[in-house]
Amino acid sequence: MKKTILLVHTGGTISMHVSKESGAVVPDSTNPLMQESKKLEKIAHIIELEAFNLPSPHMTPQKMLALRDLILQTIGNNNNIDGVVITHGTDTLEETAYFLELTTNLEIPIVLTGAMRSSNELGADGVYNLVESVRVASSEDAKNKGVLVVMNDELHSSVNVTKTSTSSVATFQSPQYGPLGLVTKSMIHFHQAPLKREYVEVSKLDKKVALFKVYAGMDADLIRSAIDYQYDGVVLEGLGQGNIPPAVLPTIEELLKLQIPVVLVSRCFNGIAQGVYGYEGGGKMLEDMGVIFATGLNGQKARLKLLIGLNQVNKPIDVKKFFI
Ligand code: ASP
């Protein structure tokens, strides 16, 4: 029997075209994907909604939360939905995917997809990726695998996937871990599955979390602005195994004294940050001061995770345990 898939559009290049007048890639007044339902209906029964028609740099955590609520509400009203597909701009797709990973706990698949070439460009990849995503969302094997990203014949976990190329259709990669599987002409083939899934209950996002990239010769002024602007948490994309320049240390100490959690990830896209070095600004020193090391996440995802954690309904999180 045909599966029922909820298809939610949010915008991005997949919903754009190249303007003949300016040559720029621009949003359409009507989403070109809305005309593709015939191709999709061959695979599954489609319930189609347009949540937004935004370039993904315009996405915000508040909009991600609204998207989450729309999905849960629609599933609540139609108990026959077997899977969800979301079309999204690729620039922040990994963030929305990870947001949904942490804030939904559904058994059915949630798949995000996008395109690197807009609808009227040579080699446009949008409809292809959309068809593959509907196939994945209809697959029994995709259940309980967490939120997935499907592009260019690959299946990725929202936890590990990141945009790696400004323009290649193979932009989405999972550094260190690789894809969860492949999409072929005849198969949805998983070769790994996530060991753990996390769920955090959130209903609003009042807190503010900043993300800073650490660099050689960094001064404390920028990080200090997190205190001045009353941020509730700070994530640092630190150096190597998890180190920072000494000039930043006193401000980190100040943040911690003010009970503002400081989470550290590595700028390196492989490996896990940890407290190894004992020199001034070294990871061991930071760990002893109370800086929390996030296990293997990139900066933008650690930032979202801290934001979601600090907004958990009812109980405050233990930041250290939350990031293991
Ligand atoms: N700038 C576009 C966006 O994220 C890129 C894309 O969709 O591929 O909306």
Side-chain angles (χ1 to χ4, degrees):
M1 208 177 70
K2 250 194 205 176
K3 298 277 179 87
T4 299
I5 301 300
L6 170 64
L7 172 60
V8 187
H9 301 297
T10 69
T13 297
I14 193 166
S15 299
M16 297 185 194
H17 72 286
V18 176
S19 153
K20 280 199 188 95
E21 292 80 50
S22 68
V25 177
V26 288
D28 279 279
S29 51
T30 54
N31 190 333
L33 291 177
M34 299 292 250
Q35 280 132 41
E36 302 297 340
S37 26
K38 264 200 195 135
K39 289 190 189 92
L40 305 178
E41 285 286 346
K42 283 188 196 147
I43 309 162
H45 172 56
I46 305 291
I47 301 174
E48 196 167 13
L49 298 177
E50 191 168 47
F52 315 111
N53 192 0
L54 292 173
S56 76
H58 296 198
M59 207 61 189
T60 61
Q62 275 69 24
K63 291 194 173 84
M64 294 173 196
L65 188 63
L67 177 65
R68 192 278 311 251
D69 291 345
L70 175 72
I71 291 167
L72 294 187
Q73 204 179 36
T74 312
I75 290 173
N77 295 338
N78 299 266
N79 55 11
N80 60 341
I81 290 175
D82 301 294
V84 181
V85 173
I86 300 161
T87 62
H88 199 288
T90 59
D91 290 354
T92 63
L93 187 148
E94 67 192 83
E95 281 160 87
T96 300
Y98 188 59
F99 185 97
L100 295 173
E101 170 82 28
L102 291 179
T103 60
T104 59
N105 56 354
L106 302 173
E107 194 187 303
I108 62 168
I110 299 182
V111 177
L112 280 89
T113 194
M116 296 303 285
R117 299 177 187 138
S118 67
S119 57
N120 59 346
E121 277 178 83
L122 199 59
D125 52 334
V127 177
Y128 184 87
N129 287 334
L130 180 56
V131 167
E132 289 205 332
S133 298
V134 171
R135 284 178 55 209
V136 172
S138 307
S139 154
E140 283 296 310
D141 291 347
K143 279 185 172 171
N144 283 318
K145 299 283 193 305
V147 174
L148 301 168
V149 173
V150 171
M151 288 231 339
N152 197 42
D153 296 337
E154 288 185 350
L155 280 153
H156 291 265
S157 158
S158 60
V159 180
N160 300 322
V161 76
T162 193
K163 185 172 182 177
T164 62
S165 163
T166 55
S167 56
S168 163
V169 292
T171 189
F172 282 105
Q173 305 285 328
S174 297
Q176 189 73 68
Y177 304 103
L180 293 185
L182 301 175
V183 184
T184 73
K185 280 199 195 311
S186 57
M187 277 191 282
I188 310 299
H189 177 73
F190 280 91
H191 59 258
Q192 19 177 2
L195 287 176
K196 75 167 187 185
R197 289 185 64 189
E198 284 176 278
Y199 172 64
V200 187
E201 198 185 341
V202 284
S203 56
K204 55 184 171 47
L205 300 166
D206 298 330
K207 309 280 184 186
K208 293 204 297 182
V209 176
L211 167 64
F212 296 103
K213 187 165 196 138
V214 173
Y215 48 87
M218 188 180 200
D219 285 321
D221 47 4
L222 286 179
I223 298 183
R224 166 156 288 287
S225 66
I227 299 174
D228 299 342
Y229 289 100
Q230 295 171 346
Y231 274 73
D232 303 285
V234 167
V235 175
L236 300 176
E237 248 185 52
L239 308 169
Q241 293 246 29
N243 312 306
I244 61 169
V248 181
L249 267 185
T251 308
I252 302 296
E253 252 169 351
E254 237 179 289
L255 284 161
L256 294 170
K257 248 195 226 137
L258 292 166
Q259 311 277 325
I260 299 171
V262 179
V263 171
L264 196 130
V265 301
S266 177
R267 256 178 23 171
C268 302
F269 58 82
N270 283 317
I272 289 171
Q274 50 196 344
V276 173
Y277 291 97
Y279 55 75
E280 214 190 342
K284 181 74 179 72
M285 189 183 205
L286 298 175
E287 197 171 55
D288 293 344
M289 276 165 62
V291 172
I292 309 292
F293 285 68
T295 311
L297 291 173
N298 67 22
Q300 55 271 32
K301 287 187 197 168
R303 182 207 163 249
L304 266 183
K305 185 168 183 177
L306 184 57
L307 178 74
I308 290 165
L310 293 176
N311 282 284
Q312 177 167 252
V313 170
N314 296 329
K315 45 180 192 255
I317 48 157
D318 174 332
V319 183
K320 191 160 187 187
K321 281 198 194 135
F322 189 60
F323 274 96
I324 285 172

